[in-house]
Amino acid sequence: CPPEELWRLFDPDYTGDLDDTGFMENDRITEGMDPRDREHLLALYDGEIRFTDGHLGVLFSALEREGLLDDTLVLVTSDHGDEFFEHGNKGHRRSVYEESVTVPLIVFGGGVRAKGVRVDDVVGHVDLVPTILDMVGLPLPPELMGKSLAPVLRGEPPSAGGIGSSLLQRHKRRSLESVRSKAWKVIIDHRADRDLTEAFDLNVDPEEQSPLEGDRAQALVEEALSWLETRGIREHHVRMTLGAGDPSKTALPPELEEQLRSLGYLK
């Protein structure tokens, strides 16, 4: 839980006793929970974000005080969001709806001229490495999958028409994959027996509550599958170039492998 003085910024009148301890296992936090407690749960989440903001502010103030901020490129992002029963789930690693996969990306500091500019297009974590390399003047290896956002950060007009994807491996027999543009999104539920798909018009249904049907849905699914096929060809080329399958080229240092395993990123 965040400190009380922070969550009360968002829910000053709460008198109950709910907290988010053991969020996933807490049997008081369910889809049918008291609406007032659910409102408080969201305030706790906002309080945690405010707590993080405060500590980031301390770091950035120290960089500025030491005269380092103008020579430091700062990127703030997250690995996932959390669900609060928008689609019947809580937490994360449950779905690839927007509440789980849309995260902030804030860039400022050395070399960033587009101050206060909000880019309303699809970008992803895959774009971070090429952006950082480009901003610090290092060459971009041809194997990189993402695109550099450095031109926008340096003040050029942002491009439009980006497409991004997210993949969630639920277990060996099921994975969830999404493909989205600014205007539409397709979710593919890969199962052992068959794939299930949903398509959404994000302009009129940004909360993904009303899947499209008919020809419009089929056209978007076909566009998403075509994009995934093109990306898959590119990924295969990159894996071959980097020597995928050769342990001498791809093995992680033992201490890093153990750390990733302890965090749940490796099985």
Side-chain angles (χ1 to χ4, degrees), residues 81-110:
D82 273 315
E83 300 182 61
F84 292 94
F85 308 110
E86 294 89 346
H87 291 88
N89 304 307
K90 67 175 177 177
H92 55 274
R93 292 194 58 80
R94 296 293 186 273
S95 78
V96 287
Y97 291 114
E98 289 299 282
E99 54 265 26
S100 284
V101 301
T102 296
V103 296
L105 174 59
I106 303 169
V107 187
F108 65 95

Tab-separated table of all heavy atoms in Angstrom, residues 81-110:
chain	number	residue	atom	x	y	z
A	81	GLY	N	0.379	-2.571	-17.378
A	81	GLY	CA	-0.595	-1.951	-16.496
A	81	GLY	C	-1.248	-3.019	-15.637
A	81	GLY	O	-0.768	-4.149	-15.563
A	82	ASP	N	-2.337	-2.668	-15.000
A	82	ASP	CA	-3.098	-3.631	-14.211
A	82	ASP	C	-4.572	-3.532	-14.564
A	82	ASP	O	-5.075	-2.461	-14.924
A	82	ASP	CB	-2.909	-3.388	-12.709
A	82	ASP	CG	-1.689	-4.119	-12.166
A	82	ASP	OD1	-1.502	-5.306	-12.500
A	82	ASP	OD2	-0.927	-3.500	-11.408
A	83	GLU	N	-5.242	-4.649	-14.434
A	83	GLU	CA	-6.676	-4.711	-14.704
A	83	GLU	C	-7.461	-4.604	-13.398
A	83	GLU	O	-7.075	-5.191	-12.385
A	83	GLU	CB	-7.031	-6.016	-15.403
A	83	GLU	CG	-6.334	-6.207	-16.735
A	83	GLU	CD	-6.759	-7.489	-17.425
A	83	GLU	OE1	-7.967	-7.626	-17.735
A	83	GLU	OE2	-5.906	-8.354	-17.653
A	84	PHE	N	-8.557	-3.880	-13.470
A	84	PHE	CA	-9.467	-3.758	-12.333
A	84	PHE	C	-10.878	-4.155	-12.775
A	84	PHE	O	-11.819	-3.388	-12.662
A	84	PHE	CB	-9.427	-2.346	-11.765
A	84	PHE	CG	-8.112	-2.005	-11.113
A	84	PHE	CD1	-7.110	-1.368	-11.833
A	84	PHE	CD2	-7.858	-2.342	-9.792
A	84	PHE	CE1	-5.890	-1.063	-11.235
A	84	PHE	CE2	-6.649	-2.036	-9.185
A	84	PHE	CZ	-5.656	-1.404	-9.909
A	85	PHE	N	-10.953	-5.365	-13.347
A	85	PHE	CA	-12.221	-5.998	-13.730
A	85	PHE	C	-12.897	-5.337	-14.927
A	85	PHE	O	-14.080	-5.548	-15.152
A	85	PHE	CB	-13.182	-6.046	-12.535
A	85	PHE	CG	-12.562	-6.666	-11.312
A	85	PHE	CD1	-12.270	-5.890	-10.209
A	85	PHE	CD2	-12.250	-8.017	-11.273
A	85	PHE	CE1	-11.675	-6.449	-9.078
A	85	PHE	CE2	-11.655	-8.584	-10.159
A	85	PHE	CZ	-11.371	-7.801	-9.061
A	86	GLU	N	-12.133	-4.561	-15.726
A	86	GLU	CA	-12.726	-3.999	-16.938
A	86	GLU	C	-13.221	-5.098	-17.878
A	86	GLU	O	-14.194	-4.924	-18.616
A	86	GLU	CB	-11.701	-3.115	-17.668
A	86	GLU	CG	-11.290	-1.870	-16.913
A	86	GLU	CD	-10.099	-2.108	-15.982
A	86	GLU	OE1	-9.757	-3.289	-15.717
A	86	GLU	OE2	-9.508	-1.114	-15.531
A	87	HIS	N	-12.496	-6.232	-17.854
A	87	HIS	CA	-12.906	-7.403	-18.633
A	87	HIS	C	-12.992	-8.642	-17.746
A	87	HIS	O	-12.768	-9.772	-18.192
A	87	HIS	CB	-11.922	-7.637	-19.786
A	87	HIS	CG	-11.978	-6.579	-20.849
A	87	HIS	ND1	-11.223	-5.426	-20.796
A	87	HIS	CD2	-12.726	-6.493	-21.981
A	87	HIS	CE1	-11.491	-4.688	-21.861
A	87	HIS	NE2	-12.391	-5.310	-22.595
A	88	GLY	N	-13.302	-8.419	-16.471
A	88	GLY	CA	-13.485	-9.530	-15.555
A	88	GLY	C	-12.230	-10.044	-14.893
A	88	GLY	O	-12.278	-11.030	-14.150
A	89	ASN	N	-11.094	-9.390	-15.128
A	89	ASN	CA	-9.823	-9.837	-14.558
A	89	ASN	C	-9.259	-8.798	-13.604
A	89	ASN	O	-9.632	-7.622	-13.646
A	89	ASN	CB	-8.788	-10.076	-15.669
A	89	ASN	CG	-9.261	-11.052	-16.712
A	89	ASN	OD1	-9.672	-12.168	-16.396
A	89	ASN	ND2	-9.216	-10.645	-17.980
A	90	LYS	N	-8.325	-9.238	-12.759
A	90	LYS	CA	-7.568	-8.295	-11.943
A	90	LYS	C	-6.083	-8.585	-12.090
A	90	LYS	O	-5.678	-9.718	-12.379
A	90	LYS	CB	-7.977	-8.365	-10.471
A	90	LYS	CG	-7.628	-9.653	-9.738
A	90	LYS	CD	-7.980	-9.540	-8.252
A	90	LYS	CE	-7.715	-10.844	-7.506
A	90	LYS	NZ	-7.977	-10.731	-6.059
A	91	GLY	N	-5.289	-7.552	-11.883
A	91	GLY	CA	-3.841	-7.712	-11.990
A	91	GLY	C	-3.391	-7.677	-13.437
A	91	GLY	O	-3.933	-6.964	-14.277
A	92	HIS	N	-2.359	-8.472	-13.741
A	92	HIS	CA	-1.828	-8.530	-15.102
A	92	HIS	C	-1.479	-9.970	-15.435
A	92	HIS	O	-1.696	-10.866	-14.647
A	92	HIS	CB	-0.619	-7.603	-15.255
A	92	HIS	CG	0.478	-7.849	-14.267
A	92	HIS	ND1	0.481	-7.280	-13.016
A	92	HIS	CD2	1.588	-8.621	-14.330
A	92	HIS	CE1	1.556	-7.689	-12.348
A	92	HIS	NE2	2.231	-8.504	-13.126
A	93	ARG	N	-0.964	-10.168	-16.640
A	93	ARG	CA	-0.726	-11.510	-17.198
A	93	ARG	C	-2.043	-12.281	-17.307
A	93	ARG	O	-2.080	-13.496	-17.143
A	93	ARG	CB	0.300	-12.297	-16.385
A	93	ARG	CG	1.716	-11.736	-16.472
A	93	ARG	CD	2.748	-12.713	-15.950
A	93	ARG	NE	2.703	-13.982	-16.665
A	93	ARG	CZ	3.254	-14.202	-17.863
A	93	ARG	NH1	3.870	-13.221	-18.488
A	93	ARG	NH2	3.162	-15.387	-18.426
A	94	ARG	N	-3.122	-11.578	-17.570
A	94	ARG	CA	-4.415	-12.205	-17.782
A	94	ARG	C	-4.926	-11.979	-19.206
A	94	ARG	O	-5.636	-12.806	-19.744
A	94	ARG	CB	-5.456	-11.658	-16.790
A	94	ARG	CG	-5.161	-11.966	-15.321
A	94	ARG	CD	-5.266	-13.448	-15.032
A	94	ARG	NE	-5.136	-13.751	-13.614
A	94	ARG	CZ	-3.986	-13.954	-12.980
A	94	ARG	NH1	-2.846	-13.851	-13.655
A	94	ARG	NH2	-3.955	-14.260	-11.698
A	95	SER	N	-4.579	-10.824	-19.781
A	95	SER	CA	-5.107	-10.484	-21.097
A	95	SER	C	-4.167	-9.494	-21.769
A	95	SER	O	-3.169	-9.056	-21.186
A	95	SER	CB	-6.505	-9.865	-20.959
A	95	SER	OG	-6.415	-8.502	-20.548
A	96	VAL	N	-4.526	-9.141	-23.014
A	96	VAL	CA	-3.776	-8.102	-23.738
A	96	VAL	C	-4.723	-6.965	-24.124
A	96	VAL	O	-4.551	-6.308	-25.149
A	96	VAL	CB	-3.054	-8.668	-24.984
A	96	VAL	CG1	-1.866	-9.513	-24.573
A	96	VAL	CG2	-4.011	-9.471	-25.873
A	97	TYR	N	-5.749	-6.743	-23.277
A	97	TYR	CA	-6.579	-5.556	-23.455
A	97	TYR	C	-5.768	-4.321	-23.064
A	97	TYR	O	-4.720	-4.413	-22.407
A	97	TYR	CB	-7.846	-5.669	-22.611
A	97	TYR	CG	-8.805	-6.739	-23.091
A	97	TYR	CD1	-9.069	-7.870	-22.320
A	97	TYR	CD2	-9.451	-6.614	-24.323
A	97	TYR	CE1	-9.953	-8.850	-22.760
A	97	TYR	CE2	-10.331	-7.590	-24.767
A	97	TYR	CZ	-10.578	-8.710	-23.988
A	97	TYR	OH	-11.438	-9.678	-24.436
A	98	GLU	N	-6.275	-3.146	-23.450
A	98	GLU	CA	-5.504	-1.919	-23.307
A	98	GLU	C	-5.104	-1.623	-21.868
A	98	GLU	O	-4.036	-1.076	-21.610
A	98	GLU	CB	-6.291	-0.735	-23.876
A	98	GLU	CG	-6.403	-0.747	-25.392
A	98	GLU	CD	-5.048	-0.686	-26.063
A	98	GLU	OE1	-4.462	0.408	-26.130
A	98	GLU	OE2	-4.567	-1.743	-26.522
A	99	GLU	N	-5.948	-1.983	-20.903
A	99	GLU	CA	-5.603	-1.689	-19.516
A	99	GLU	C	-4.342	-2.427	-19.063
A	99	GLU	O	-3.680	-2.014	-18.109
A	99	GLU	CB	-6.770	-2.020	-18.574
A	99	GLU	CG	-7.295	-3.429	-18.705
A	99	GLU	CD	-8.486	-3.530	-19.629
A	99	GLU	OE1	-8.623	-2.681	-20.536
A	99	GLU	OE2	-9.294	-4.467	-19.447
A	100	SER	N	-3.989	-3.505	-19.756
A	100	SER	CA	-2.780	-4.253	-19.403
A	100	SER	C	-1.559	-3.827	-20.211
A	100	SER	O	-0.442	-3.849	-19.700
A	100	SER	CB	-3.001	-5.757	-19.616
A	100	SER	OG	-3.785	-6.311	-18.594
A	101	VAL	N	-1.766	-3.458	-21.486
A	101	VAL	CA	-0.611	-3.286	-22.370
A	101	VAL	C	-0.286	-1.843	-22.714
A	101	VAL	O	0.796	-1.568	-23.244
A	101	VAL	CB	-0.796	-4.105	-23.668
A	101	VAL	CG1	-0.953	-5.578	-23.342
A	101	VAL	CG2	-1.982	-3.605	-24.486
A	102	THR	N	-1.195	-0.893	-22.427
A	102	THR	CA	-0.871	0.505	-22.687
A	102	THR	C	-0.140	1.083	-21.485
A	102	THR	O	-0.662	1.072	-20.374
A	102	THR	CB	-2.134	1.327	-22.969
A	102	THR	OG1	-2.751	0.851	-24.160
A	102	THR	CG2	-1.792	2.798	-23.147
A	103	VAL	N	1.073	1.574	-21.710
A	103	VAL	CA	1.905	2.097	-20.621
A	103	VAL	C	2.475	3.449	-21.028
A	103	VAL	O	2.506	3.793	-22.209
A	103	VAL	CB	3.062	1.120	-20.284
A	103	VAL	CG1	2.517	-0.205	-19.766
A	103	VAL	CG2	3.962	0.881	-21.497
A	104	PRO	N	2.924	4.238	-20.062
A	104	PRO	CA	3.506	5.544	-20.401
A	104	PRO	C	4.889	5.398	-21.011
A	104	PRO	O	5.607	4.426	-20.747
A	104	PRO	CB	3.582	6.257	-19.048
A	104	PRO	CG	3.687	5.146	-18.049
A	104	PRO	CD	2.862	4.022	-18.603
A	105	LEU	N	5.243	6.363	-21.848
A	105	LEU	CA	6.618	6.522	-22.307
A	105	LEU	C	6.906	8.018	-22.294
A	105	LEU	O	6.345	8.774	-23.088
A	105	LEU	CB	6.822	5.951	-23.709
A	105	LEU	CG	8.210	6.212	-24.316
A	105	LEU	CD1	9.311	5.632	-23.437
A	105	LEU	CD2	8.300	5.661	-25.733
A	106	ILE	N	7.755	8.430	-21.374
A	106	ILE	CA	8.113	9.836	-21.198
A	106	ILE	C	9.613	9.961	-21.432
A	106	ILE	O	10.407	9.230	-20.825
A	106	ILE	CB	7.755	10.323	-19.787
A	106	ILE	CG1	6.257	10.106	-19.507
A	106	ILE	CG2	8.124	11.792	-19.607
A	106	ILE	CD1	5.864	10.297	-18.063
A	107	VAL	N	9.998	10.860	-22.320
A	107	VAL	CA	11.410	11.045	-22.661
A	107	VAL	C	11.762	12.525	-22.532
A	107	VAL	O	11.044	13.386	-23.050
A	107	VAL	CB	11.712	10.564	-24.098
A	107	VAL	CG1	13.222	10.615	-24.361
A	107	VAL	CG2	11.180	9.153	-24.339
A	108	PHE	N	12.846	12.815	-21.838
A	108	PHE	CA	13.306	14.200	-21.739
A	108	PHE	C	14.789	14.193	-21.404
A	108	PHE	O	15.397	13.145	-21.181
A	108	PHE	CB	12.502	14.991	-20.705
A	108	PHE	CG	12.658	14.502	-19.286
A	108	PHE	CD1	13.587	15.070	-18.434
A	108	PHE	CD2	11.859	13.467	-18.807
A	108	PHE	CE1	13.721	14.627	-17.126
A	108	PHE	CE2	11.990	13.019	-17.500
A	108	PHE	CZ	12.921	13.599	-16.665
A	109	GLY	N	15.367	15.372	-21.367
A	109	GLY	CA	16.791	15.481	-21.042
A	109	GLY	C	17.623	15.834	-22.259
A	109	GLY	O	17.150	16.481	-23.201
A	110	GLY	N	18.875	15.405	-22.238
A	110	GLY	CA	19.832	15.775	-23.271
A	110	GLY	C	19.379	15.448	-24.676
A	110	GLY	O	19.016	14.316	-24.978
